[in-house]
Amino acid sequence: MSATTERHVGQPLRRKEDPRLITGKARYIDDIALPGTLWAAFVRSPEAHARIVSIDAGAARARPGVHAVYTGADMADIGGPLPLAWAPPGVQVNNPPHWPLARASVKHVGDPVAVVIGDDRYAVVDAAEDVVVEYDPLPVVTDPEQALAGAPFVHPELGTNQVHQWTLAGGELEAGFAEAEVTIERRVVNHRIAGAPIEPRGVLADYRAGTITLYSSTQVPHFVRLFVALLLGTSEEKVRVIAPEVGGGFGSKLQIYGEEIVACWASRRLGRPVKWVETRSENMAVTHQGRDQIATVRMGARRDGKITAYHVQIVADLGAYNMLLTPLIPSLGAFVMGGCYRIPAVRTDITGVFTNKCPTDAIRGAGRPEATHMIEVMMDQMARELGIDRLELRRRNFIPKEDFPAAVATGVVYDSGDYHASLDKLLEHVDLDAFRQEQARLREQGVHRGIGFSTYTEICGLAPSRITGPAGVGVGAGLWESALVRVHNTGAVTVYTGTSPHGQGLETAFAQIVADRLGVDPSVVEVIHGDTGTGPEGRGTYGSRSLANGGEAIVKATDKVVAKAAKIVAAELEAAPEDIVVRDGKFSVKGSPDKGMTLAEIAGVAYIGAVPEGMEPGLEETTFNDPENFVFPFGAHACIVDVDVATGKVDVVRYVAVDDCGNPVNPLLIAGQIHGGIAYGIGQALYEHVVYDDDGQLVTGSFVNYALPTAAELPSFELDHTVTPSPVNALGVKGVGEAGTIAATPAVTNAVVDALEPLGVHYINMPLTPMRVWRAIEEAQAR
Amino acid sequence: MSNRVTVTLTVNGSEHEIEVEPRRLLVHALRDDLGLTGTHVGCDTSSCGACTVHLDGLAVKSCTILAAQAEGAQITTIEGLGGEHSLHPLQEAFWNEHGLQCGYCTPGMIMAAAALLEENPHPSEAEVRRALDGNLCRCTGYHNIVRAVQSAAQAQAPVAS
Ligand code: FES
Ligand code: FES
């Protein structure tokens, strides 16, 4: 068998998903209506920390149209608290119970205390206001460093706010620092942000006669099914979870949320479908948030620029509870802590801390943006200290392309890379000499323009089980991916994937892959995802894993179909199966191209005619793909900013990105992912910040005070790429969903410092809001 | 509920009479009462624009007015702008230019862009960006949205050369 001549892979096909989305015909969670549906509204804590003294639901229950009000006590029959799926070998993780409805106490603003269920979406909100909860306020802690120092405790029974400690170390750290002629240390703060998909979460649970169907706006329907079954004490096959059209996730829908459990439980109790759609205010308060790390970062180097040691100590503010992967998230960054550089000794120490805030968990990049931000900011800081050009310093430390696959000090093996090539390509677009002249000229006019760079690599394609699973890092689930490829009677194809895309365009990308291999048009390949009632078990979409793992699973399943089809063709045409090739939409005999069969003809034999002796009828195959390694995309980004020194306002003037995500499947989708990723990173660097006051009150509770960038704040982005295939999968692909986000924050930050250098600002932490920048300028001037 | 008002709306060319609570938001009347779920809700502070529709020819955020306030109005939603076999140039352009990912902001974005092009058939990039600053997209970084709007402008009415 050889590859087909039809090349859809690599082409910028416009998306199969779009016709329903652009015409308003897609079905998101709130668009699904079932007869007899009841609405749910949650009563949420206004206190950041309190004992629940009493709950009086009498007035709420008495309102017309209200069917029930439930509290944590009513749900005493559930099988356990919400899950933490991370149990690293040898690491103790404090994990107090986190209930779908609070029991006895609340730990952060928005913690759910009761749920009101009734006929009408407006009326349940009214009724929720009538539930009277008496709270006995308890002392609050919101600063993670104070929380580590001692009382008050978020969970007093633990006698500590520490969640866990975890270390990843490789190489001789002390020897590395001893060899260093220059050592610098910075406090790098990576502030808390919200995932903020434009579609908030929502659930619709439908219990009937022993089975539960749960529609949920989730990235991980199979995980949700497992935990709904476990917590409701029902058998897994009795639960079907459907992720309908999902309006973005960014990690915030990679979770098992209490509302999913409550809706299923209440639907079973009431025998009616129960629906809840999150408001934006709820989303800002209770949908898990991300980042929130304070790191003490030490870097040692020789005078010639060789980095000899790198030590990162992170205090990670995990909020009030562990959720699905909460304490694991900072660890994901540890594997690529050394970035693109050959650093002989790298150590990361992580201390997780409880505070009275919303829990953190995976948000776009999950640990890797923090790691990249640190190393890329530190490279600029070190370059200044050494008096070496910052790009030259990077070049002197890059892992050379001859070294790949490259084992690094953190214990992982980078699959492939060519960091010099991406930086070279970037500099084809950015004329640095011209920029410096322009910068000098503008400074004379009072305009402070700066340029910042980041060269990054990241770890994605989450799998392989041997590293991510229980025996490795300790995630309680192997991370592989599945596919089922089904050829129908007519030669049309349905693909079932265990991934659960929510905007990435995988229906199109997967169809391209299958179409090439089967010699059909992508228009006759339909991709079904996000439904546990169809197709094999799956693991969902996050961590830029869907193409490298899910796409590869589809390749393998499709190749099995091709092999069977070839046998059918060989028997029909009296040739050897090895001599069958897919060419011009046909399975034909090598050397005699007009002798062949279309997929439709082959399917006709497989289902209607007679298959060769000893072969089962039908034409479909399933695979579970567990790759050997992660994939490591990389690239080089440059950002040019103007800083208004009178107000501290930063404007992004130009953003140029060169990315390498291996072989491209659909360049349109890749560009879209990078655009969105860059905007996400710029958003964090300049505008977004989840703020709690000292009493644990959420200051940024809506889109009025949580500033997402709009079109007016952002420039168009200039993209280019290099192609370094991954050796880990047959497609040669890497992931691209997080790359832009990972690369952008240090590029922006380094640009602001470059702009303000003449004013004496040499270092600054995000978010680079006007107030923060203005203060930095004022302080520098006062020195 | 006893306290109800009758509201007459013309939506996408057909007239509807609905009985609603006086406080019912137009967006819920469109979505839940008339089944036009293409108009979305992304916030509760009039910030995101996912709910944008045309009301008597103007782009409005349908989460920010009451159904009762729209009495007698002509309303166009994304479903009325163009369908599967009769795509509006903006729908076509969003598709061609990959101006959407999750699609949740898209109907509101397209409705806002359509109102812009009515007013300004050939907006510059800066004008497009300013005009859409009431519509949030978390997926696309706006890059391809802006390109889509500009390419629709070209398709709709080529600039005389
Ligand atoms: S839902 Fe109307 S502006 Fe957000
Ligand atoms: S396409 Fe997802 S919010 Fe715009």
PDB file of all heavy atoms in Angstrom, chain A residues 14-15 22 28 31 121-122 126 280-281 672 688 709 714, chain B residues 23 28 31-32 42 44 91 95-96 101-102 129 138 142:
ATOM      1  N   ARG A  14     -11.766  25.440   3.670  1.00  0.00           N
ATOM      2  CA  ARG A  14     -12.636  26.152   4.601  1.00  0.00           C
ATOM      3  C   ARG A  14     -13.454  25.120   5.378  1.00  0.00           C
ATOM      4  O   ARG A  14     -13.687  24.005   4.912  1.00  0.00           O
ATOM      5  CB  ARG A  14     -13.492  27.201   3.913  1.00  0.00           C
ATOM      6  CG  ARG A  14     -14.370  26.704   2.818  1.00  0.00           C
ATOM      7  CD  ARG A  14     -15.159  27.860   2.222  1.00  0.00           C
ATOM      8  NE  ARG A  14     -16.235  27.331   1.408  1.00  0.00           N
ATOM      9  CZ  ARG A  14     -17.218  28.068   0.910  1.00  0.00           C
ATOM     10  NH1 ARG A  14     -17.271  29.357   1.139  1.00  0.00           N
ATOM     11  NH2 ARG A  14     -18.161  27.518   0.181  1.00  0.00           N
ATOM     12  N   ARG A  15     -13.913  25.505   6.542  1.00  0.00           N
ATOM     13  CA  ARG A  15     -14.337  24.491   7.510  1.00  0.00           C
ATOM     14  C   ARG A  15     -15.703  23.880   7.224  1.00  0.00           C
ATOM     15  O   ARG A  15     -16.656  24.562   6.844  1.00  0.00           O
ATOM     16  CB  ARG A  15     -14.384  25.094   8.920  1.00  0.00           C
ATOM     17  CG  ARG A  15     -13.052  25.620   9.396  1.00  0.00           C
ATOM     18  CD  ARG A  15     -13.012  25.784  10.886  1.00  0.00           C
ATOM     19  NE  ARG A  15     -14.210  26.412  11.427  1.00  0.00           N
ATOM     20  CZ  ARG A  15     -14.458  26.527  12.722  1.00  0.00           C
ATOM     21  NH1 ARG A  15     -13.604  26.050  13.616  1.00  0.00           N
ATOM     22  NH2 ARG A  15     -15.548  27.121  13.132  1.00  0.00           N
ATOM     23  N   ILE A  22     -22.509  29.851  10.988  1.00  0.00           N
ATOM     24  CA  ILE A  22     -22.721  31.204  10.447  1.00  0.00           C
ATOM     25  C   ILE A  22     -24.193  31.501  10.183  1.00  0.00           C
ATOM     26  O   ILE A  22     -24.554  32.647   9.951  1.00  0.00           O
ATOM     27  CB  ILE A  22     -21.903  31.446   9.152  1.00  0.00           C
ATOM     28  CG1 ILE A  22     -22.174  30.346   8.130  1.00  0.00           C
ATOM     29  CG2 ILE A  22     -20.419  31.568   9.458  1.00  0.00           C
ATOM     30  CD1 ILE A  22     -21.413  30.522   6.811  1.00  0.00           C
ATOM     31  N   TYR A  28     -25.980  24.892  20.688  1.00  0.00           N
ATOM     32  CA  TYR A  28     -25.228  24.957  21.941  1.00  0.00           C
ATOM     33  C   TYR A  28     -26.167  24.513  23.058  1.00  0.00           C
ATOM     34  O   TYR A  28     -27.360  24.310  22.840  1.00  0.00           O
ATOM     35  CB  TYR A  28     -24.732  26.386  22.188  1.00  0.00           C
ATOM     36  CG  TYR A  28     -23.811  26.902  21.109  1.00  0.00           C
ATOM     37  CD1 TYR A  28     -24.308  27.539  19.975  1.00  0.00           C
ATOM     38  CD2 TYR A  28     -22.432  26.743  21.213  1.00  0.00           C
ATOM     39  CE1 TYR A  28     -23.470  28.012  18.973  1.00  0.00           C
ATOM     40  CE2 TYR A  28     -21.583  27.212  20.215  1.00  0.00           C
ATOM     41  CZ  TYR A  28     -22.105  27.844  19.097  1.00  0.00           C
ATOM     42  OH  TYR A  28     -21.273  28.303  18.109  1.00  0.00           O
ATOM     43  N   ASP A  31     -29.499  25.999  23.593  1.00  0.00           N
ATOM     44  CA  ASP A  31     -30.418  25.903  22.453  1.00  0.00           C
ATOM     45  C   ASP A  31     -31.208  24.598  22.474  1.00  0.00           C
ATOM     46  O   ASP A  31     -32.059  24.372  21.614  1.00  0.00           O
ATOM     47  CB  ASP A  31     -29.632  25.968  21.131  1.00  0.00           C
ATOM     48  CG  ASP A  31     -28.741  27.189  21.053  1.00  0.00           C
ATOM     49  OD1 ASP A  31     -28.989  28.156  21.803  1.00  0.00           O
ATOM     50  OD2 ASP A  31     -27.785  27.175  20.258  1.00  0.00           O
ATOM     51  N   ARG A 121     -37.209  30.033  33.873  1.00  0.00           N
ATOM     52  CA  ARG A 121     -35.817  30.462  34.051  1.00  0.00           C
ATOM     53  C   ARG A 121     -35.709  31.744  34.864  1.00  0.00           C
ATOM     54  O   ARG A 121     -34.724  31.947  35.572  1.00  0.00           O
ATOM     55  CB  ARG A 121     -35.139  30.499  32.687  1.00  0.00           C
ATOM     56  CG  ARG A 121     -34.833  31.798  32.057  1.00  0.00           C
ATOM     57  CD  ARG A 121     -34.309  31.590  30.630  1.00  0.00           C
ATOM     58  NE  ARG A 121     -32.866  31.471  30.580  1.00  0.00           N
ATOM     59  CZ  ARG A 121     -32.182  30.993  29.518  1.00  0.00           C
ATOM     60  NH1 ARG A 121     -32.810  30.558  28.452  1.00  0.00           N
ATOM     61  NH2 ARG A 121     -30.888  30.949  29.527  1.00  0.00           N
ATOM     62  N   TYR A 122     -36.690  32.621  34.761  1.00  0.00           N
ATOM     63  CA  TYR A 122     -36.637  33.851  35.553  1.00  0.00           C
ATOM     64  C   TYR A 122     -37.083  33.571  36.995  1.00  0.00           C
ATOM     65  O   TYR A 122     -36.519  34.089  37.956  1.00  0.00           O
ATOM     66  CB  TYR A 122     -37.553  34.934  34.963  1.00  0.00           C
ATOM     67  CG  TYR A 122     -37.048  35.612  33.716  1.00  0.00           C
ATOM     68  CD1 TYR A 122     -36.299  34.931  32.757  1.00  0.00           C
ATOM     69  CD2 TYR A 122     -37.334  36.960  33.481  1.00  0.00           C
ATOM     70  CE1 TYR A 122     -35.854  35.565  31.602  1.00  0.00           C
ATOM     71  CE2 TYR A 122     -36.889  37.616  32.330  1.00  0.00           C
ATOM     72  CZ  TYR A 122     -36.160  36.911  31.395  1.00  0.00           C
ATOM     73  OH  TYR A 122     -35.722  37.540  30.253  1.00  0.00           O
ATOM     74  N   ASP A 126     -35.541  34.449  40.948  1.00  0.00           N
ATOM     75  CA  ASP A 126     -36.269  35.162  42.021  1.00  0.00           C
ATOM     76  C   ASP A 126     -36.286  34.312  43.283  1.00  0.00           C
ATOM     77  O   ASP A 126     -36.043  34.802  44.389  1.00  0.00           O
ATOM     78  CB  ASP A 126     -37.728  35.419  41.614  1.00  0.00           C
ATOM     79  CG  ASP A 126     -37.829  36.424  40.476  1.00  0.00           C
ATOM     80  OD1 ASP A 126     -36.890  37.210  40.295  1.00  0.00           O
ATOM     81  OD2 ASP A 126     -38.866  36.397  39.775  1.00  0.00           O
ATOM     82  N   ARG A 280     -22.734  35.008  33.161  1.00  0.00           N
ATOM     83  CA  ARG A 280     -21.334  35.441  33.104  1.00  0.00           C
ATOM     84  C   ARG A 280     -20.810  35.747  34.500  1.00  0.00           C
ATOM     85  O   ARG A 280     -19.659  35.436  34.831  1.00  0.00           O
ATOM     86  CB  ARG A 280     -21.190  36.678  32.196  1.00  0.00           C
ATOM     87  CG  ARG A 280     -19.780  37.234  32.121  1.00  0.00           C
ATOM     88  CD  ARG A 280     -18.760  36.218  31.618  1.00  0.00           C
ATOM     89  NE  ARG A 280     -19.147  35.657  30.331  1.00  0.00           N
ATOM     90  CZ  ARG A 280     -18.515  34.652  29.737  1.00  0.00           C
ATOM     91  NH1 ARG A 280     -17.460  34.077  30.309  1.00  0.00           N
ATOM     92  NH2 ARG A 280     -18.944  34.187  28.585  1.00  0.00           N
ATOM     93  N   SER A 281     -21.641  36.334  35.343  1.00  0.00           N
ATOM     94  CA  SER A 281     -21.182  36.651  36.699  1.00  0.00           C
ATOM     95  C   SER A 281     -20.815  35.368  37.442  1.00  0.00           C
ATOM     96  O   SER A 281     -19.833  35.329  38.186  1.00  0.00           O
ATOM     97  CB  SER A 281     -22.259  37.394  37.475  1.00  0.00           C
ATOM     98  OG  SER A 281     -22.689  38.503  36.748  1.00  0.00           O
ATOM     99  N   GLY A 672      -5.523  30.372  12.533  1.00  0.00           N
ATOM    100  CA  GLY A 672      -6.579  30.775  13.463  1.00  0.00           C
ATOM    101  C   GLY A 672      -6.204  30.494  14.902  1.00  0.00           C
ATOM    102  O   GLY A 672      -6.415  31.324  15.794  1.00  0.00           O
ATOM    103  N   GLU A 688      -5.982  41.624  31.297  1.00  0.00           N
ATOM    104  CA  GLU A 688      -6.799  40.734  32.123  1.00  0.00           C
ATOM    105  C   GLU A 688      -6.168  40.471  33.474  1.00  0.00           C
ATOM    106  O   GLU A 688      -4.963  40.252  33.566  1.00  0.00           O
ATOM    107  CB  GLU A 688      -6.997  39.400  31.387  1.00  0.00           C
ATOM    108  CG  GLU A 688      -7.702  39.543  30.071  1.00  0.00           C
ATOM    109  CD  GLU A 688      -7.761  38.212  29.331  1.00  0.00           C
ATOM    110  OE1 GLU A 688      -7.926  37.175  29.983  1.00  0.00           O
ATOM    111  OE2 GLU A 688      -7.628  38.228  28.100  1.00  0.00           O
ATOM    112  N   PRO A 709      -9.511  41.710  25.695  1.00  0.00           N
ATOM    113  CA  PRO A 709      -9.197  42.615  24.589  1.00  0.00           C
ATOM    114  C   PRO A 709     -10.302  42.594  23.536  1.00  0.00           C
ATOM    115  O   PRO A 709     -10.900  41.548  23.285  1.00  0.00           O
ATOM    116  CB  PRO A 709      -7.893  42.051  24.022  1.00  0.00           C
ATOM    117  CG  PRO A 709      -7.766  40.672  24.545  1.00  0.00           C
ATOM    118  CD  PRO A 709      -8.581  40.585  25.799  1.00  0.00           C
ATOM    119  N   LEU A 714      -6.290  45.404  19.441  1.00  0.00           N
ATOM    120  CA  LEU A 714      -5.293  44.491  18.875  1.00  0.00           C
ATOM    121  C   LEU A 714      -4.945  44.873  17.440  1.00  0.00           C
ATOM    122  O   LEU A 714      -5.786  45.394  16.710  1.00  0.00           O
ATOM    123  CB  LEU A 714      -5.829  43.055  18.903  1.00  0.00           C
ATOM    124  CG  LEU A 714      -6.084  42.502  20.307  1.00  0.00           C
ATOM    125  CD1 LEU A 714      -6.796  41.157  20.223  1.00  0.00           C
ATOM    126  CD2 LEU A 714      -4.785  42.367  21.078  1.00  0.00           C
TER     127      LEU A 714
ATOM    128  N   ARG B  23     -40.810  42.180  32.205  1.00  0.00           N
ATOM    129  CA  ARG B  23     -39.357  42.243  32.364  1.00  0.00           C
ATOM    130  C   ARG B  23     -38.610  41.327  31.386  1.00  0.00           C
ATOM    131  O   ARG B  23     -37.397  41.257  31.414  1.00  0.00           O
ATOM    132  CB  ARG B  23     -38.972  41.846  33.782  1.00  0.00           C
ATOM    133  CG  ARG B  23     -39.344  40.400  34.105  1.00  0.00           C
ATOM    134  CD  ARG B  23     -38.826  39.988  35.456  1.00  0.00           C
ATOM    135  NE  ARG B  23     -39.334  38.681  35.847  1.00  0.00           N
ATOM    136  CZ  ARG B  23     -38.903  38.033  36.920  1.00  0.00           C
ATOM    137  NH1 ARG B  23     -38.012  38.574  37.711  1.00  0.00           N
ATOM    138  NH2 ARG B  23     -39.407  36.852  37.224  1.00  0.00           N
ATOM    139  N   HIS B  28     -34.425  36.709  25.210  1.00  0.00           N
ATOM    140  CA  HIS B  28     -35.131  35.497  25.634  1.00  0.00           C
ATOM    141  C   HIS B  28     -36.433  35.318  24.855  1.00  0.00           C
ATOM    142  O   HIS B  28     -36.863  34.189  24.595  1.00  0.00           O
ATOM    143  CB  HIS B  28     -35.374  35.530  27.144  1.00  0.00           C
ATOM    144  CG  HIS B  28     -34.117  35.318  27.931  1.00  0.00           C
ATOM    145  ND1 HIS B  28     -33.801  36.038  29.066  1.00  0.00           N
ATOM    146  CD2 HIS B  28     -33.076  34.483  27.711  1.00  0.00           C
ATOM    147  CE1 HIS B  28     -32.615  35.640  29.516  1.00  0.00           C
ATOM    148  NE2 HIS B  28     -32.158  34.703  28.719  1.00  0.00           N
ATOM    149  N   ARG B  31     -35.174  33.830  21.579  1.00  0.00           N
ATOM    150  CA  ARG B  31     -34.631  32.481  21.703  1.00  0.00           C
ATOM    151  C   ARG B  31     -35.662  31.483  22.238  1.00  0.00           C
ATOM    152  O   ARG B  31     -35.882  30.425  21.654  1.00  0.00           O
ATOM    153  CB  ARG B  31     -33.416  32.476  22.663  1.00  0.00           C
ATOM    154  CG  ARG B  31     -32.174  33.180  22.124  1.00  0.00           C
ATOM    155  CD  ARG B  31     -31.068  33.147  23.175  1.00  0.00           C
ATOM    156  NE  ARG B  31     -30.953  31.811  23.719  1.00  0.00           N
ATOM    157  CZ  ARG B  31     -30.265  30.821  23.161  1.00  0.00           C
ATOM    158  NH1 ARG B  31     -29.596  31.049  22.053  1.00  0.00           N
ATOM    159  NH2 ARG B  31     -30.249  29.630  23.710  1.00  0.00           N
ATOM    160  N   ASP B  32     -36.241  31.832  23.383  1.00  0.00           N
ATOM    161  CA  ASP B  32     -37.067  30.843  24.073  1.00  0.00           C
ATOM    162  C   ASP B  32     -38.514  30.869  23.596  1.00  0.00           C
ATOM    163  O   ASP B  32     -39.180  29.839  23.571  1.00  0.00           O
ATOM    164  CB  ASP B  32     -37.016  31.073  25.593  1.00  0.00           C
ATOM    165  CG  ASP B  32     -35.604  30.825  26.160  1.00  0.00           C
ATOM    166  OD1 ASP B  32     -34.748  30.334  25.405  1.00  0.00           O
ATOM    167  OD2 ASP B  32     -35.371  31.137  27.339  1.00  0.00           O
ATOM    168  N   GLY B  42     -23.848  35.952  26.082  1.00  0.00           N
ATOM    169  CA  GLY B  42     -22.506  35.678  26.597  1.00  0.00           C
ATOM    170  C   GLY B  42     -22.175  36.434  27.862  1.00  0.00           C
ATOM    171  O   GLY B  42     -21.111  36.240  28.439  1.00  0.00           O
ATOM    172  N   ASP B  44     -23.879  39.288  31.239  1.00  0.00           N
ATOM    173  CA  ASP B  44     -25.053  39.894  31.854  1.00  0.00           C
ATOM    174  C   ASP B  44     -24.816  41.370  32.119  1.00  0.00           C
ATOM    175  O   ASP B  44     -25.410  41.964  33.004  1.00  0.00           O
ATOM    176  CB  ASP B  44     -25.440  39.146  33.137  1.00  0.00           C
ATOM    177  CG  ASP B  44     -24.232  38.746  33.967  1.00  0.00           C
ATOM    178  OD1 ASP B  44     -23.157  39.347  33.782  1.00  0.00           O
ATOM    179  OD2 ASP B  44     -24.361  37.826  34.799  1.00  0.00           O
ATOM    180  N   GLN B  91     -21.709  36.286   5.810  1.00  0.00           N
ATOM    181  CA  GLN B  91     -21.643  34.879   6.231  1.00  0.00           C
ATOM    182  C   GLN B  91     -20.636  34.131   5.369  1.00  0.00           C
ATOM    183  O   GLN B  91     -19.783  33.384   5.859  1.00  0.00           O
ATOM    184  CB  GLN B  91     -23.033  34.241   6.131  1.00  0.00           C
ATOM    185  CG  GLN B  91     -24.005  34.787   7.176  1.00  0.00           C
ATOM    186  CD  GLN B  91     -25.438  34.349   6.937  1.00  0.00           C
ATOM    187  OE1 GLN B  91     -25.919  34.375   5.800  1.00  0.00           O
ATOM    188  NE2 GLN B  91     -26.141  33.962   7.999  1.00  0.00           N
ATOM    189  N   TRP B  95     -16.931  32.543   6.513  1.00  0.00           N
ATOM    190  CA  TRP B  95     -16.584  31.157   6.190  1.00  0.00           C
ATOM    191  C   TRP B  95     -15.257  31.106   5.427  1.00  0.00           C
ATOM    192  O   TRP B  95     -14.321  30.397   5.791  1.00  0.00           O
ATOM    193  CB  TRP B  95     -17.735  30.537   5.370  1.00  0.00           C
ATOM    194  CG  TRP B  95     -17.647  29.057   5.164  1.00  0.00           C
ATOM    195  CD1 TRP B  95     -16.755  28.196   5.738  1.00  0.00           C
ATOM    196  CD2 TRP B  95     -18.504  28.275   4.334  1.00  0.00           C
ATOM    197  NE1 TRP B  95     -17.013  26.913   5.306  1.00  0.00           N
ATOM    198  CE2 TRP B  95     -18.073  26.932   4.449  1.00  0.00           C
ATOM    199  CE3 TRP B  95     -19.588  28.578   3.515  1.00  0.00           C
ATOM    200  CZ2 TRP B  95     -18.697  25.889   3.759  1.00  0.00           C
ATOM    201  CZ3 TRP B  95     -20.208  27.536   2.824  1.00  0.00           C
ATOM    202  CH2 TRP B  95     -19.761  26.205   2.953  1.00  0.00           C
ATOM    203  N   ASN B  96     -15.166  31.924   4.366  1.00  0.00           N
ATOM    204  CA  ASN B  96     -13.964  31.899   3.526  1.00  0.00           C
ATOM    205  C   ASN B  96     -12.709  32.305   4.279  1.00  0.00           C
ATOM    206  O   ASN B  96     -11.633  31.768   4.044  1.00  0.00           O
ATOM    207  CB  ASN B  96     -14.132  32.841   2.332  1.00  0.00           C
ATOM    208  CG  ASN B  96     -15.149  32.322   1.345  1.00  0.00           C
ATOM    209  OD1 ASN B  96     -15.403  31.120   1.293  1.00  0.00           O
ATOM    210  ND2 ASN B  96     -15.747  33.225   0.586  1.00  0.00           N
ATOM    211  N   GLN B 101     -14.284  30.408  15.113  1.00  0.00           N
ATOM    212  CA  GLN B 101     -13.797  29.111  15.601  1.00  0.00           C
ATOM    213  C   GLN B 101     -14.940  28.407  16.330  1.00  0.00           C
ATOM    214  O   GLN B 101     -15.618  27.567  15.756  1.00  0.00           O
ATOM    215  CB  GLN B 101     -12.531  29.297  16.433  1.00  0.00           C
ATOM    216  CG  GLN B 101     -11.355  29.724  15.533  1.00  0.00           C
ATOM    217  CD  GLN B 101     -10.063  29.993  16.262  1.00  0.00           C
ATOM    218  OE1 GLN B 101      -9.800  29.458  17.323  1.00  0.00           O
ATOM    219  NE2 GLN B 101      -9.233  30.861  15.686  1.00  0.00           N
ATOM    220  N   CYS B 102     -15.175  28.764  17.587  1.00  0.00           N
ATOM    221  CA  CYS B 102     -16.282  28.095  18.283  1.00  0.00           C
ATOM    222  C   CYS B 102     -17.633  28.572  17.763  1.00  0.00           C
ATOM    223  O   CYS B 102     -18.646  27.920  17.974  1.00  0.00           O
ATOM    224  CB  CYS B 102     -16.188  28.304  19.793  1.00  0.00           C
ATOM    225  SG  CYS B 102     -16.790  29.901  20.363  1.00  0.00           S
ATOM    226  N   ARG B 129     -12.294  47.703  13.238  1.00  0.00           N
ATOM    227  CA  ARG B 129     -11.935  47.358  14.624  1.00  0.00           C
ATOM    228  C   ARG B 129     -12.703  48.219  15.624  1.00  0.00           C
ATOM    229  O   ARG B 129     -13.191  47.716  16.631  1.00  0.00           O
ATOM    230  CB  ARG B 129     -10.421  47.495  14.818  1.00  0.00           C
ATOM    231  CG  ARG B 129      -9.645  46.384  14.110  1.00  0.00           C
ATOM    232  CD  ARG B 129      -8.140  46.463  14.340  1.00  0.00           C
ATOM    233  NE  ARG B 129      -7.479  45.321  13.722  1.00  0.00           N
ATOM    234  CZ  ARG B 129      -7.364  44.113  14.282  1.00  0.00           C
ATOM    235  NH1 ARG B 129      -7.835  43.901  15.494  1.00  0.00           N
ATOM    236  NH2 ARG B 129      -6.798  43.110  13.630  1.00  0.00           N
ATOM    237  N   ARG B 138     -13.335  35.343  21.887  1.00  0.00           N
ATOM    238  CA  ARG B 138     -12.220  34.817  22.660  1.00  0.00           C
ATOM    239  C   ARG B 138     -11.354  33.884  21.824  1.00  0.00           C
ATOM    240  O   ARG B 138     -10.281  33.494  22.250  1.00  0.00           O
ATOM    241  CB  ARG B 138     -12.790  34.065  23.871  1.00  0.00           C
ATOM    242  CG  ARG B 138     -11.781  33.660  24.931  1.00  0.00           C
ATOM    243  CD  ARG B 138     -10.986  34.807  25.500  1.00  0.00           C
ATOM    244  NE  ARG B 138     -10.517  34.543  26.850  1.00  0.00           N
ATOM    245  CZ  ARG B 138      -9.589  35.277  27.466  1.00  0.00           C
ATOM    246  NH1 ARG B 138      -9.052  36.315  26.848  1.00  0.00           N
ATOM    247  NH2 ARG B 138      -9.217  34.993  28.700  1.00  0.00           N
ATOM    248  N   TYR B 142      -9.570  38.216  16.526  1.00  0.00           N
ATOM    249  CA  TYR B 142     -10.213  39.207  15.645  1.00  0.00           C
ATOM    250  C   TYR B 142      -9.579  39.331  14.260  1.00  0.00           C
ATOM    251  O   TYR B 142     -10.179  39.893  13.346  1.00  0.00           O
ATOM    252  CB  TYR B 142     -10.259  40.609  16.300  1.00  0.00           C
ATOM    253  CG  TYR B 142     -10.914  40.609  17.658  1.00  0.00           C
ATOM    254  CD1 TYR B 142     -10.159  40.674  18.819  1.00  0.00           C
ATOM    255  CD2 TYR B 142     -12.302  40.504  17.792  1.00  0.00           C
ATOM    256  CE1 TYR B 142     -10.746  40.653  20.073  1.00  0.00           C
ATOM    257  CE2 TYR B 142     -12.902  40.486  19.040  1.00  0.00           C
ATOM    258  CZ  TYR B 142     -12.114  40.560  20.179  1.00  0.00           C
ATOM    259  OH  TYR B 142     -12.705  40.536  21.415  1.00  0.00           O
TER     260      TYR B 142
END
